[in-house]
């Protein structure tokens, strides 16, 4: 079963909402930078989760790009 970020990314791809995916990516990247700059606590678990979410968003952006390059093709979502 897909997790929440996968469902959100799938919806953005289905709706061809590049701006939404870009905003989601920027937010996750800012969170990662902020957590990586902190000290005094082990943030490796949330950083790992954010890195996984960034990879899912990147995959969604790739799917969206592929669909826009070949509008006649159907891609499973």
């Amino acid at each position: 079963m897909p997790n929440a970020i996968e469902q959100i990314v799938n919806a953005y791809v289905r709706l061809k909402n590049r701006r939404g995916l870009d905003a989601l990516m920027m937010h996750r990247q800012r969170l990662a930078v902020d957590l990586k700059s902190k000290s005094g606590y082990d943030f490796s678990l949330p950083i790992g989760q954010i890195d996984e979410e960034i990879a899912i968003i990147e995959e969604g952006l790739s799917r969206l790009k592929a669909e826009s390059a070949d509008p006649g093709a159907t891609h499973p979502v």
Side-chain angles (χ1 to χ4, degrees), residues 25 49-62:
M25 176 67 88
Q49 177 71 33
I50 291 169
D51 287 342
E52 288 176 24
E53 292 176 359
I54 288 172
I56 292 167
I57 297 166
E58 286 174 342
E59 191 270 331
L61 285 166
S62 295

Side-chain angles (χ1 to χ4, degrees), residues 26-39 43 47 50:
M26 287 191 314
H27 179 257
R28 292 304 189 277
Q29 289 172 334
R30 276 183 270 153
L31 282 174
V33 168
D34 187 42
L35 286 176
K36 289 174 184 177
S37 70
K38 302 241 184 254
S39 63
F43 289 104
I47 289 170
I50 291 169

Side-chain angles (χ1 to χ4, degrees), residues 8-9 11-30 57 60-61 64-65:
I8 292 167
V9 168
Y12 281 146
V13 170
R14 191 172 53 254
L15 296 171
K16 299 181 182 354
N17 187 345
R18 170 70 188 232
R19 194 173 284 168
L21 283 173
D22 286 338
L24 200 59
M25 176 67 88
M26 287 191 314
H27 179 257
R28 292 304 189 277
Q29 289 172 334
R30 276 183 270 153
I57 297 166
L61 285 166
L64 192 60
K65 183 178 179 181

